[in-house]
Amino acid sequence: MTIQNNYSFSPIGVIHSPYKQKFAIPRQPGLVTAAHGKLELLLEQNQLELVRDIEQHSHLWLIFVFHGTSEQGWKPLVKAPRLGGNKKTGVLATRSTFRPNPIGMSAVQLNGMCKINNNIALEISGLDLLDGTPILDIKPYIPYSDRVEEALSVMAPTPENTNYCINFSLTAQQHLNLLAANYQDLKLFIQQVLSQDPRPAYKKANTELQEYGMSLYDLNIRWQIHHNQCTVLSIEKLNLV
């Protein structure tokens, strides 16, 4: 059997996401339901005919490129977060971004349609995609065939539980009160992201005070973890050029 050596694909769209950096993106789709974004169709794919009747599906599969890490190449063995971040396992046994072909798939909820710069865009939520992610294809999620009731995963049988409380400092709450009207479900979004514990896996056993920052939308969120307490310290606008 002859196999073609190379295939060339062009993106049909691009993701507009609140996640501006890899840090803090949930490791699976659907875990942060308050994450709202848009998928803008590009060039010759910017046609209503391509998405006719798409609203008949509540969820979509997005086939995309790991553009944020693709230049780093791939590895046969990777450190899986579910194995503590130190033990290596086969890349094809994980959803690592460092794959032979930097392609991923993600199931998102479809919430509607809009326009961005006169281009058709799909409004989506529950996404786990970096801002600017190129989309190669869109397929409807079909519940009766895509959901496999008897499916098992020994490595990741259930969602991770953080077991810590998430609080907002007085300063962070004041910032939230000023910003919330301009950002959909902002407080819930921050809470859901932090409940996934975005820290590197090897840091999670550390009970000492740890402080971090993450970029969501055009906001810089400072937060700290000490024992089982997570406290949002501040929520401020980024100085974007």
Side-chain angles (χ1 to χ4, degrees), residues 101-115:
N101 292 305
I103 297 171
M105 58 187 295
S106 184
V108 299
Q109 183 170 344
L110 175 64
N111 299 315
M113 295 178 61
C114 64
K115 285 286 190 78

Side-chain angles (χ1 to χ4, degrees), residues 28-30 59-62 105-109 125-128 141:
Q28 307 296 343
H59 291 72
L60 304 170
W61 285 112
L62 305 183
M105 58 187 295
S106 184
V108 299
Q109 183 170 344
S125 61
L127 67 163
D128 59 341
Y141 180 97

Side-chain angles (χ1 to χ4, degrees), residues 33-199:
T33 57
H36 297 274
K38 294 180 175 66
L39 194 174
E40 179 185 359
L41 298 180
L42 302 174
L43 302 175
E44 61 265 32
Q45 284 77 38
N46 180 35
Q47 303 179 46
L48 274 174
E49 287 83 356
L50 269 71
V51 290
R52 181 185 295 172
D53 297 326
I54 200 168
E55 71 280 359
Q56 295 188 24
H57 309 285
S58 67
H59 291 72
L60 304 170
W61 285 112
L62 305 183
I63 312 301
F64 63 92
V65 177
F66 286 113
H67 73 297
T69 57
S70 59
E71 291 185 356
Q72 299 176 42
W74 68 280
K75 305 171 184 176
L77 294 174
V78 295
K79 295 179 179 179
R82 279 304 188 97
L83 299 179
N86 289 313
K87 180 181 177 181
K88 290 187 176 182
T89 191
V91 66
L92 298 184
T94 75
R95 296 192 177 187
S96 168
T97 64
F98 302 107
R99 319 186 70 76
N101 292 305
I103 297 171
M105 58 187 295
S106 184
V108 299
Q109 183 170 344
L110 175 64
N111 299 315
M113 295 178 61
C114 64
K115 285 286 190 78
I116 300 177
N117 301 321
N118 292 321
N119 285 348
I120 299 162
L122 304 179
E123 298 176 328
I124 57 177
S125 61
L127 67 163
D128 59 341
L129 302 172
L130 184 66
D131 189 52
T133 293
I135 300 299
L136 299 178
D137 198 12
I138 303 168
K139 301 181 188 294
Y141 180 97
I142 308 298
Y144 76 83
S145 63
D146 290 351
R147 183 176 60 238
V148 182
E149 300 293 349
E150 65 272 21
L152 297 173
S153 173
V154 175
M155 186 183 299
T158 58
E160 291 185 279
N161 295 316
T162 56
N163 297 320
Y164 57 61
C165 299
I166 300 172
N167 304 301
F168 288 75
S169 69
L170 178 60
T171 298
Q173 187 60 54
Q174 291 172 338
H175 292 164
L176 190 64
N177 293 340
L178 293 172
L179 295 165
N182 297 318
Y183 299 87
Q184 186 176 359
D185 298 327
L186 180 58
K187 184 173 184 178
L188 178 61
F189 183 33
I190 294 171
Q191 290 173 324
Q192 288 185 343
V193 168
L194 292 177
S195 71
Q196 303 303 314
D197 197 347
R199 294 177 296 168

